[in-house]
Amino acid sequence: MEVLISESKIEKRINELAKEINKEYEGKELILLGILKGSIVFMVELAKKLKMKVKFDFMEVSSYEGTESTGNLKIKKALKEDIEGKDVLIIEDIIDTGRTLKELKKYLEAKNPNSVKIATLLSKPSRRVVEIEADYMGFEVEDKFVVGYGLDYNQKYRNLPYIGYIE
Ligand code: IMP
Ligand code: MG
């Protein structure tokens, strides 16, 4: 396993992101919506640094290509919170093609929240097929399959404290 982003670098970056988020949502209540399972480690570390009132919710979703070029959203675990009028921050591990988040954002916006923003630990901009960007992004990575800090390869390596890749 090659280390791509060390634990200390990730911690430092999460502190910076938390500062930005604390500023933006000061005095508000924020729903952190973790996308299972990859976002878990990032969400826990980020949440501990947030100062506003925070609620946790989780969804498990996947996108798949239908016969048309648009992605479709498959919901495996549904939202619990009523998000109407609320501020929602989606927590994701990585934006790859962008299909999942594009569809999810559309789905959530239809429920009339006050705002829906995205925080992702990683982004692979070279792989994007739909237009979507995160409001808070930890690191850009090149087109390599990465694991650790929540991200898996066949459900393994999620517990690694750093981001690595298999040569
Ligand atoms: P997409 O942006 O809709 O293509 O899907 C992103 C999802 O694919 C992420 O939430 C991950 O679960 C998974 N994924 C994409 N790239 C990687 C990677 O390099 N390592 C582990 N999972 C990945
Ligand atoms: Mg995922």
Side-chain angles (χ1 to χ4, degrees):
M1 188 70 62
E2 300 286 330
V3 178
L4 195 64
I5 310 170
S6 69
E7 185 173 13
S8 62
K9 260 195 192 156
I10 299 171
E11 279 172 5
K12 204 173 147 228
R13 186 72 187 116
I14 291 178
N15 279 332
E16 291 169 358
L17 293 176
K19 248 186 212 162
E20 286 179 46
I21 295 167
N22 279 326
K23 208 165 150 192
E24 165 126 14
Y25 296 95
E26 194 183 348
K28 296 190 176 165
E29 184 180 291
L30 183 62
I31 298 178
L32 292 185
L33 177 57
I35 307 308
L36 298 171
K37 306 169 190 166
S39 70
I40 285 296
V41 180
F42 174 45
M43 179 162 162
V44 167
E45 292 305 315
L46 180 69
K48 289 192 287 186
K49 314 262 153 57
L50 298 181
K51 299 194 169 112
M52 74 293 292
K53 283 187 187 128
V54 161
K55 285 185 176 174
F56 281 10
D57 203 352
F58 298 96
M59 285 181 81
E60 188 171 4
V61 296
S62 63
S63 70
Y64 56 93
E65 263 182 290
T67 45
E68 280 138 71
S69 59
T70 55
N72 285 293
L73 193 68
K74 205 162 107 187
I75 297 177
K76 299 183 199 159
K77 189 212 164 290
L79 189 72
K80 284 258 173 70
E81 290 292 326
D82 176 8
I83 63 168
E84 193 177 334
K86 303 283 173 64
D87 292 300
V88 179
L89 184 60
I90 302 171
I91 311 291
E92 183 57 300
D93 53 355
I94 187 167
I95 310 181
D96 186 36
T97 66
R99 283 199 182 96
T100 313
L101 278 179
K102 180 104 181 176
E103 292 298 311
L104 179 64
K105 210 174 169 194
K106 209 163 50 176
Y107 173 85
L108 294 171
E109 274 165 353
K111 296 179 183 291
N112 297 317
N114 185 52
S115 69
V116 180
K117 292 200 174 186
I118 298 169
T120 186
L121 179 61
L122 305 174
S123 176
K124 273 186 201 168
S126 63
R127 293 258 309 159
R128 208 76 86 244
V129 299
V130 298
E131 215 178 293
I132 185 116
E133 285 314 320
D135 301 278
Y136 305 97
M137 200 260 302
F139 303 91
E140 283 189 354
V141 292
E142 45 181 311
D143 189 9
K144 274 192 174 116
F145 196 84
V146 293
V147 296
Y149 223 86
L151 291 101
D152 73 305
Y153 173 68
N154 284 341
Q155 299 301 326
K156 284 178 291 208
Y157 307 113
R158 292 192 195 276
N159 59 312
L160 292 180
Y162 55 86
I163 299 288
Y165 65 95
I166 306 155
E167 268 299 0

